[in-house]
Amino acid sequence: MTTPDDFTTEFIVDHTPDEVFAAINDVRAWFSETITGASAEVGDVFSFADEAITSGRIRVTDLAPGHRVAWHVEDAHDEWNDTTMTFEITRGEAGTTLRFTHHGLTPAAACYRDCSQGWTSCVNTSLHALITTGSGRPIPASAAR
């Protein structure tokens, strides 16, 4: 469940909900080049490594093509542990809206400033670019521990 303090960002693109959904699920192309594991099916688990942000295991908990993707963080070593990320996709007159929320990432979290900046970059810059140009800007493997 979303609270008013959960980190949320959104954007609108002139692409179909199915195109947005496909881009979200191409995690290596927009989030991190160090992704290992799978993210294509409910129950799939993936992880990543990066010096600047938390790492851990993320489980895909919901996939509704063209509508929603949800992940649950397992085994993280900080405030991300046991949090959830959702990607809500809606079609409107202005285009397709993607609303990302990291449930549990609130201003009370010690990492909030850095994590919210990181998500803004990953979602609003890299994922947006993947959707609109076909090429994202994921965290490079060179940034891994």
Side-chain angles (χ1 to χ4, degrees):
M1 179 160 284
T2 304
T3 71
D5 288 338
D6 290 330
F7 174 75
T8 300
T9 188
E10 67 181 38
F11 59 78
I12 299 172
V13 291
D14 189 21
H15 290 267
T16 69
D18 288 335
E19 290 171 316
V20 172
F21 180 82
I24 294 165
N25 289 302
D26 191 358
V27 182
R28 283 178 197 85
W30 68 268
F31 184 34
S32 175
E33 292 176 348
T34 66
I35 296 285
T36 57
S39 61
E41 304 286 333
V42 171
D44 281 353
V45 175
F46 65 93
S47 57
F48 64 96
D50 182 74
E51 288 182 2
I53 57 178
T54 188
S55 60
R57 199 170 65 202
I58 299 174
R59 182 174 303 276
V60 178
T61 58
D62 190 12
L63 291 172
H67 298 284
R68 179 179 164 86
V69 174
W71 301 337
H72 182 260
V73 181
E74 303 174 343
D75 296 333
H77 300 287
D78 65 7
E79 297 155 314
W80 280 30
N81 198 47
D82 204 28
T83 61
T84 301
M85 294 93 155
T86 57
F87 301 80
E88 301 289 342
I89 305 164
T90 55
R91 184 73 175 170
E93 289 183 27
T96 299
T97 299
L98 172 61
R99 180 179 177 88
F100 169 83
T101 302
H102 188 155
H103 307 268
L105 178 61
T106 67
C111 77
Y112 184 79
R113 185 178 62 88
D114 291 337
C115 291
S116 61
Q117 289 173 354
W119 277 126
T120 299
S121 177
C122 283
V123 173
N124 290 29
T125 302
S126 185
L127 180 54
H128 185 274
L130 180 61
I131 295 165
T132 59
T133 71
S135 183
R137 298 181 196 132
I139 299 165
S142 62
R145 295 178 211 172

